[in-house]
Structure formats: structure tokens, C-alpha cells
């Protein structure tokens, strides 16, 4: 049985980590990170079977790929809070000589990262490759991949959308963060990509929907998707609010890639309970 | 030690046939080799592998970007994926996918590219990539290999299967002389000395190695002694071999089926300018696109013929002596 209140408390700390990472270097993407804090908390603290001692191959584990790499602060927070690397390292986010790069990368050897992402549209293809490898290896665990909704404008996404059902990748779960926002404004104004339900259904995917800012619903739907084996990949259309959890950031694209000031940071942190202990302000020494 | 006398044509087959044979041999040895293609299984001459290992073959359809990502995923899970399509669609079309999901992600993916260069022939310039070596050479951590005949391509495929890290393996379409002895050892990053000489160094890669052999025979008849070196691995370049030869001859010609910018000639010039500054002539395309024609017609028209190598060698030797 999932402990929803406990997961919500972890998500609160993850949101604090997001604000503090972006504030610390005055750079990064808080909006989408806050919106996905519940999803990544649910995956890493409840739904996925995974091992923080980390092996790249992830045999016998559920694996997660972040295709929209710009929401790295939420990914780094859940990885650190799950034990993949010291939480103190979050203070080095986007700073020189850090493993905690602006966008996630394997290149600096940060445990928990299996692919570099940032240039959009590539993660679903990678997840397809891992899903095929798991099937070849008779490893019945599930591959999760998250993309943004704006990211669905990339052509490679639709190559992968054709590929996964054709290859019956029933162990693949694609989650689309349908927050309706991208960097230049509302997605429906920049380049309409809806309806995901109709498009992915037409491509041969199973569709599920969830409110990605409702922890109980998120956990329930993710578990159903992970367990499902019916010859089809699953696409979860997940409604979230960009900036969820901080009143002056919620529901607008304006905080997509903008750091809060000192004053705004105090205001934001006042709204987010410290539940697991903040990491120290200063970055650990590299010496 | 090889010499011009030993480099006799023993047959004629395409380097892509060498790829197919090498893939089957590598697949026999490594059960984690997975072949992917983007609707070009026939062109890649890989039916022997596919028939032997149908479960290790992934048809991606005409979706090269997705193929590169799927390969990155397979490599993440411990497989050795070999992607196959034409060189143009293996590089230019998917540069960002290779850059982020493969090279920057340190994935053990082998990008196997046929129909490189002018010798693709009649399809014309849309398909004749002459920039691919440059693009792939620029990527940190990428190994770049351009074998010269059937035997060398077959050996190269088996060598890259043993090598951990991303590789760009470039080969071609036309039937081409086989002259590298069967069983000749293929060492990634190690130049293959084809003939000892003292007047001019000729460094050649890919199809133009055969032309360089023919050119060297003519030059030797005319009393010009040729140090002939096959650079099958353009990155990492065998700098010691390049420097030693240039030091010995003081005159250099580079030969490649590629633009003069960014390819083998550039790699040699970069090496020599800081270690052993040497006059160099570039037998390469002159910053141009190709066109339709037969392989031989195109190599002749674009200045990549045997006569062009001979002329370049004479020019650089004359410059040295003046």
C-alpha cells in the first residue's frame, strides 16, 4: 500500500530543492520542474523497482529517461534524495566543475543518469531501445520516459511513436507532461499538438490519463501502466500545472526558464515545508 | 612488410560486401551485436547476418533519427548496436542525435555507413556525402574508420566489435578491387604501411587507396620513390606514422573521397603543422557537391583519379626540390 502523505512530504522537499538549485546559480528551469515533482517522487519513491547503487544497464530494474532534460532540477533532487549521490552535491547545480550539469548527462559520471538529454525529442527513441533490450534479455521490468508537451513538436517523437507499437513494446510507458505551456507561450498558440489522445490512439498506443499533481492518482495510474502487458505501449497524458506548489509561479510559462530573486525565493520556500532537511547552501569542495 | 609488388588485385567486390561478411563474422562471435537498418537491409549486404540471427535484427523503417536513439538505448542496456544506412543519412541527417544520444552519452554504438562519397554514382549529389568524415571527426570520443577494400572492411567490422566506444565506419557502393591480403591484421588507429619510399609520402584512405597504389607504381617507374601509407583510421590518427613519413620524404600527398575541408587531408595537415611542417597536396573534392555519373567518371571529373594523384605527387616533389 502506497503511503501517499509520505510521498507528498517528499515532493515538498523536492520542490524546495528545485527552488534552491535554481536560485543558487540564478539559472535553470523551475516551472516544469515544480510541475513534475509529484510524478518523479511517485516513480522513484514508490512505483519503480530501482537500485541507487546504480548500474548503467539497469538489468532487473525499472528505468526512467528524462527526455525534456531542462527540468533537470527535479530529476537531480529525486536521484539525490533516493541515494544515487550526496544531496550536498545539489548545491553545485550548473556550476563549474560539477557533475550536476545544466542538462543531465552521463558524461560526468553522475549516478542515475543513463542518457544525455536537453536537445529535445530524443528520449522516446532511447527508451524504445532499452525496452527492446529488456525483451531480448527476458527482463520484464518497465521503461518509463517523460517528455514535455511542447517537445511533442519534434519530428523524432513521431518516428518513435510509430516504432513502439509496431514493435509491440508493451513494457514502455511514455508520459507526456501536458501543462499547456512552452517557452514562448501557451502550446496551443505556439504550435498546436493536441489531441494527444487521438494522435497516440491512431498510432496504436494505449492511452491513460492522470492528474500529475494528485499524488494518489499519479501512483495508481503509474502502477497500472507498469503492470500492463497487452502488446501495446502505453502513453499517459498527464495534466500538470507548470510551477505547481509556488503561488506566484503556477500556471504560467513565465517561470519556464527563469530564476527567482532572493526575496522571491524566501516567499517560495515559505510555501514548501522542509521535510527531509535542506542541503547546505554552499557547494562542497572539489578538493 | 607490404610492398607494391605484393599489392595485386585478387578480385573485385564492394566494400559494403565486406561489411556484410564482417558483420556475420562479428555476430557469430558476439551474441550481443544487434543490427539496425532504416529500410536498407538489401543495400547493406547483410542478409547472412539477418538470416542467421533474425532476432538480432531491428528494422526501423525510414526513420534514421529514431534508429540512432534506439541504438543508444540498446547500448545503454549492454548491447552492441550497429546502425546501417547510407553515409549521408548516417551523419548529416542525424548529427544531433549522434552528438547527444551517442557521443556525449558515451554509448557503444557502431554507425556503419555505406554509399559514401562520389562513388555512389548515378543517384547524384543528394546522396553523395563528401562532408561526413569531417562531421564525425569533430565529435569528441568518436573513432572514424574508412577501409579501402573488401578484405579490410571485413576485418574492420570485426575490430570495431571488439572496441568499446562510438565508431563511425564508412564504406561504399561500387564493386572495387580487392588487394589487401586476406588475414592482414586490422589495428584501429594504426596506419598500414603499403610501400617504403623516400621521395614523397602518399597517405590514402577508402577507395582512393587502390588509386594511390596504381599511382605509386607509375611514379616508381618514373624514378620517384613513394612512401605509401593507408590511413584507414582517420581518428585517432596514427600521428607517429604520419610524422615519421613526412620527416623522411619532406613531401606529402593526401588522397580521399571527401571534401578537402575536414577530412583526412585536414587531419594530416593539423598533425604536421605542429610537429613536422611539410608541403602538402590535397587530392580531394574542391569544396563542391557531386553529380550523377559512374563512379569512375565522377572520380575523374572531380580530380580524384590516378592521374591526379600522380600529378599531385610530382608537384609536391618538384616544390621540395626547387
Amino acid at each position: 500500500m502506497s503511503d501517499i502523505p509520505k510521498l507528498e512530504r517528499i515532493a515538498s522537499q523536492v520542490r524546495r530543492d528545485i527552488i534552491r538549485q535554481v536560485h543558487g546559480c540564478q539559472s535553470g528551469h523551475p516551472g516544469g520542474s515544480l510541475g513534475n515533482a509529484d510524478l518523479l517522487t511517485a516513480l522513484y519513491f514508490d512505483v519503480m523497482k530501482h537500485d541507487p547503487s546504480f548500474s548503467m544497464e539497469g538489468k532487473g530494474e525499472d528505468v526512467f529517461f528524462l527526455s525534456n532534460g531542462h527540468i533537470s532540477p527535479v530529476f537531480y533532487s529525486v536521484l539525490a534524495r533516493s541515494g544515487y549521490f550526496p544531496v550536498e552535491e545539489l548545491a553545485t547545480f550548473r556550476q563549474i566543475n560539477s557533475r550536476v550539469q545544466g542538462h543531465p548527462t552521463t558524461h560526468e559520471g553522475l549516478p542515475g543518469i543513463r542518457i544525455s538529454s536537453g536537445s529535445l525529442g530524443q528520449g522516446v527513441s532511447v527508451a524504445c531501445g532499452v525496452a527492446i533490450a529488456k525483451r531480448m534479455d527476458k527482463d520484464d521490468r518497465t521503461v518509463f520516459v517523460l517528455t514535455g508537451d511542447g517537445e511533442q513538436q519534434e519530428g523524432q517523437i513521431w518516428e518513435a511513436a510509430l516504432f513502439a507499437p509496431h514493435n509491440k513494446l508493451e513494457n514502455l510507458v511514455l508520459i507526456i507532461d501536458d501543462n499547456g505551456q512552452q517557452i514562448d507561450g501557451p502550446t496551443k498558440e505556439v504550435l498546436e499538438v493536441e489531441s494527444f489522445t487521438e494522435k497516440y490512439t491512431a498510432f496504436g498506443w494505449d492511452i491513460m490519463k492522470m492528474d500529475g499533481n494528485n499524488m494518489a492518482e499519479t501512483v495508481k495510474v503509474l502502477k497500472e501502466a507498469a503492470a500492463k502487458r497487452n502488446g501495446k505501449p502505453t502513453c499517459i497524458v498527464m495534466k500538470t500545472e507548470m510551477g505547481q506548489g509556488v503561488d506566484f509561479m503556477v500556471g504560467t510559462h513565465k517561470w519556464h526558464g527563469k530564476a527567482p530573486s532572493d526575496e522571491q525565493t524566501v516567499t517560495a520556500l515559505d510555501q514548501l515545508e522542509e521535510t527531509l532537511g535542506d542541503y547546505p547552501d554552499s557547494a562542497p569542495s572539489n578538493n | 612488410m607490404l610492398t607494391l609488388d605484393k599489392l595485386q588485385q585478387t578480385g573485385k567486390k564492394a566494400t559494403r560486401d565486406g561489411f556484410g561478411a564482417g558483420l556475420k563474422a562479428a555476430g557469430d562471435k558476439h551474441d550481443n551485436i544487434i543490427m539496425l537498418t532504416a529500410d536498407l537491409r538489401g543495400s547493406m549486404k547483410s542478409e547472412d547476418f539477418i538470416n542467421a540471427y533474425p532476432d538480432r535484427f531491428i528494422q526501423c523503417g525510414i526513420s534514421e533519427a529514431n534508429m540512432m536513439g534506439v541504438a543508444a538505448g540498446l547500448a545503454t542496456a549492454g548491447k552492441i548496436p550497429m546502425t546501417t544506412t547510407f553515409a549521408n543519412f548516417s551523419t548529416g541527417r542525424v548529427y544531433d542525435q549522434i552528438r547527444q544520444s551517442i557521443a556525449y552519452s558515451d554509448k557503444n554504438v557502431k554507425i556503419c555507413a555505406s554509399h559514401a562519397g562520389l562513388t555512389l554514382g548515378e543517384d547524384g549529389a543528394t546522396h553523395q556525402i563528401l562532408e561526413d568524415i569531417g562531421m564525425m571527426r569533430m565529435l569528441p570520443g568518436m573513432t572514424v574508420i574508412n577501409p579501402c577494400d573488401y578484405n579490410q572492411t571485413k576485418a574492420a567490422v570485426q575490430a570495431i566489435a571488439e572496441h568499446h566506444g562510438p565508431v563511425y565506419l564508412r564504406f561504399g557502393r561500387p564493386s572495387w578491387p580487392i588487394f589487401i591480403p586476406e588475414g592482414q591484421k586490422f589495428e584501429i588507429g594504426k596506419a598500414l604501411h603499403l610501400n617504403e619510399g623516400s621521395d614523397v609520402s602518399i597517405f590514402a584512405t577508402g577507395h582512393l587507396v587502390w588509386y594511390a597504389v596504381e599511382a605509386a607504381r607509375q611514379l616508381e617507374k618514373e624514378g620517384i620513390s613513394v612512401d605509401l601509407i593507408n590511413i584507414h583510421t582517420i581518428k585517432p590518427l596514427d600521428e607517429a606514422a604520419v610524422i615519421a613519413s613526412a620527416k623522411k620524404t619532406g613531401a606529402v600527398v593526401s588522397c580521399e573521397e571527401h571534401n578537402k575541408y575536414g577530412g583526412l587531408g585536414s587531419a594530416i595537415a593539423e598533425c604536421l603543422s605542429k610537429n613536422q611542417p611539410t608541403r602538402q597536396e590535397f587530392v580531394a573534392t574542391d569544396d563542391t557537391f557531386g553529380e550523377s555519373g559512374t563512379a569512375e567518371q565522377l572520380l575523374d571529373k572531380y580530380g580524384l583519379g590516378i592521374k591526379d594523384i600522380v600529378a599531385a605527387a610530382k608537384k609536391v616533389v618538384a616544390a621540395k626540390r626547387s
Side-chain angles (χ1 to χ4, degrees):
Chain A
M1 215 24 214
S2 301
D3 186 344
I4 301 300
K6 182 183 169 193
L7 292 171
E8 288 172 339
R9 286 170 60 77
I10 295 170
S12 177
Q13 184 68 53
V14 167
R15 287 190 163 94
R16 286 183 70 87
D17 290 348
I18 292 165
I19 295 293
R20 296 183 70 239
Q21 285 175 81
V22 174
H23 173 254
C25 62
Q26 283 297 293
S27 171
H29 297 78
S33 295
L34 290 167
N36 284 279
D38 304 304
L39 171 75
L40 267 77
T41 299
L43 284 170
Y44 275 85
F45 288 88
D46 193 61
V47 176
M48 285 178 20
K49 179 192 174 196
H50 65 107
D51 181 359
S53 65
F54 188 61
S55 77
M56 179 58 78
E57 296 185 6
K59 289 196 193 303
E61 295 180 67
D62 298 316
V63 295
F64 170 77
F65 290 95
L66 181 69
S67 189
N68 47 336
H70 57 275
I71 65 165
S72 54
V74 64
F75 194 19
Y76 293 145
S77 173
V78 295
L79 288 175
R81 297 287 174 183
S82 308
Y84 281 87
F85 59 89
V87 289
E88 291 76 15
E89 218 167 323
L90 295 176
T92 70
F93 175 60
R94 288 189 170 229
Q95 295 183 22
I96 194 76
N97 298 325
S98 172
R99 299 194 295 180
V100 190
Q101 288 287 297
H103 292 78
T105 177
T106 61
H107 207 62
E108 312 299 333
L110 188 67
I113 312 288
R114 291 193 167 91
I115 199 78
S116 304
S117 61
S119 179
L120 293 172
Q122 300 187 25
V124 186
S125 303
V126 175
C128 286
V130 177
I132 290 178
K134 282 194 176 293
R135 184 165 68 194
M136 287 174 169
D137 293 341
K138 300 186 173 27
D139 172 356
D140 196 37
R141 304 310 305 186
T142 299
V143 182
F144 295 92
V145 55
L146 173 64
T147 82
D149 51 355
E151 184 178 11
Q152 295 282 317
Q153 293 158 357
E154 290 281 6
Q156 187 182 346
I157 290 279
W158 298 100
E159 294 185 2
L162 280 173
F163 182 86
H166 180 83
N167 287 282
K168 300 181 171 53
L169 300 183
E170 60 188 2
N171 55 346
L172 175 68
V173 177
L174 161 65
I175 303 152
I176 301 174
D177 177 22
D178 189 13
N179 63 17
Q181 304 287 338
Q182 60 189 107
I183 202 165
D184 269 359
T187 301
K188 64 185 177 194
E189 291 178 15
V190 176
L191 180 62
E192 180 65 273
V193 287
E194 297 279 7
S195 143
F196 296 123
T197 299
E198 290 177 14
K199 289 188 172 84
Y200 276 87
T201 300
F203 275 64
W205 293 63
D206 263 350
I207 305 294
M208 299 178 82
K209 296 184 180 183
M210 69 187 187
D211 176 352
N213 294 134
N214 177 321
M215 187 62 82
E217 184 176 324
T218 299
V219 167
K220 179 172 175 286
V221 172
L222 288 173
K223 284 187 172 175
E224 281 177 29
K228 199 160 60 61
R229 294 289 182 267
N230 65 350
K232 289 182 173 185
T234 301
C235 171
I236 302 176
V237 181
M238 175 182 72
K239 286 285 179 194
T240 68
E241 289 286 351
M242 192 176 260
Q244 178 70 26
V246 176
D247 58 5
F248 63 88
M249 291 184 171
V250 78
T252 169
H253 67 273
K254 290 178 181 153
W255 290 93
H256 172 95
K258 182 180 158 189
S261 66
D262 293 351
E263 193 180 7
Q264 288 166 327
T265 298
V266 170
T267 305
L269 293 178
D270 277 348
Q271 300 171 31
L272 300 166
E273 188 186 351
E274 181 180 349
T275 56
L276 300 176
D278 284 344
Y279 60 83
D281 275 327
S282 57
S285 167
N286 287 307
N287 298 322
Chain B
M1 184 71 197
L2 292 169
T3 61
L4 287 178
D5 292 341
K6 291 180 186 167
L7 296 170
Q8 298 302 325
Q9 182 175 338
T10 56
K12 212 173 175 189
K13 268 187 185 176
T15 49
R16 58 178 163 147
D17 286 304
F19 168 73
L23 175 65
K24 171 66 168 55
D28 290 342
K29 187 170 177 190
H30 305 275
D31 63 9
N32 55 348
I33 286 180
I34 312 293
M35 179 198 170
L36 302 92
T37 198
D39 197 31
L40 284 171
R41 58 186 276 177
S43 295
M44 302 304 299
K45 303 295 180 189
S46 46
E47 294 302 315
D48 284 352
F49 176 88
I50 295 170
N51 290 333
Y53 306 112
D55 295 340
R56 288 154 55 189
F57 167 66
I58 300 174
Q59 173 60 270
C60 295
I62 310 169
S63 305
E64 294 84 4
N66 183 57
M67 176 169 71
M68 293 302 168
V70 171
L74 289 163
T76 301
K79 306 298 182 189
I80 306 175
M82 297 200 176
T83 66
T84 66
T85 179
F86 292 173
N88 187 20
F89 314 134
S90 292
T91 57
R93 188 174 183 89
V94 291
Y95 190 80
D96 189 44
Q97 284 76 19
I98 295 174
R99 180 176 183 274
Q100 175 173 287
S101 291
I102 296 175
Y104 186 46
S105 293
D106 310 300
K107 297 304 178 195
N108 189 26
V109 174
K110 316 304 177 187
I111 301 160
C112 303
S114 183
H115 293 55
L118 290 172
T119 52
L120 171 144
E122 293 81 351
D123 277 342
T126 54
H127 288 50
Q128 292 162 344
I129 195 158
L130 297 164
E131 311 90 58
D132 55 327
I133 294 174
M135 278 189 281
M136 292 298 105
R137 200 165 71 82
M138 292 267 282
L139 285 171
M142 183 66 75
T143 294
V144 179
I145 298 174
N146 188 191
C148 65
D149 77 346
Y150 173 93
N151 285 341
Q152 191 173 74
T153 309
K154 183 180 173 184
V157 180
Q158 295 170 85
I160 65 172
E162 305 281 344
H163 170 86
H164 190 86
V167 174
Y168 178 59
L169 180 71
R170 176 201 216 236
F171 44 94
R173 173 184 181 236
S175 184
W176 205 250
I178 302 171
F179 58 98
I180 297 293
E182 201 174 353
Q184 172 69 43
K185 192 174 176 189
F186 186 93
E187 282 184 81
I188 294 172
K190 187 82 180 156
L192 181 61
H193 222 128
L194 300 181
N195 191 59
E196 284 279 355
S198 54
D199 293 328
V200 61
S201 302
I202 298 181
F203 299 105
T205 195
H207 289 134
L208 289 205
V209 177
W210 175 247
Y211 276 13
V213 168
E214 293 285 282
R217 292 198 225 279
Q218 288 188 26
L219 289 162
E220 295 264 338
K221 276 183 196 158
E222 295 181 41
I224 296 174
S225 170
V226 178
D227 205 42
L228 180 59
I229 295 178
N230 168 213
I231 306 287
H232 50 66
T233 307
I234 297 155
K235 183 184 177 187
L237 184 68
D238 187 346
E239 293 200 341
V242 171
I243 293 164
S245 180
K247 196 171 186 177
K248 179 169 65 174
T249 65
V252 164
V253 176
S254 55
C255 310
E256 63 193 310
E257 195 184 339
H258 189 271
N259 196 350
K260 64 183 179 183
Y261 299 128
L264 172 67
S266 294
I268 287 170
E270 288 157 16
C271 168
L272 292 179
S273 65
K274 68 181 178 191
N275 294 296
Q276 182 69 31
T278 308
R279 174 72 188 264
Q280 180 177 345
E281 285 293 317
F282 296 72
V283 175
T285 56
D286 190 13
D287 199 24
T288 181
F289 293 105
E291 65 180 85
S292 293
T294 67
E296 289 77 12
Q297 287 169 337
L298 289 161
L299 292 176
D300 180 63
K301 176 167 177 176
Y302 287 86
L304 308 184
I306 295 167
K307 67 178 189 322
D308 299 299
I309 300 172
V310 170
K314 287 181 177 174
K315 186 175 175 186
V316 78
V317 168
K320 175 176 68 169
R321 289 172 178 166
S322 65

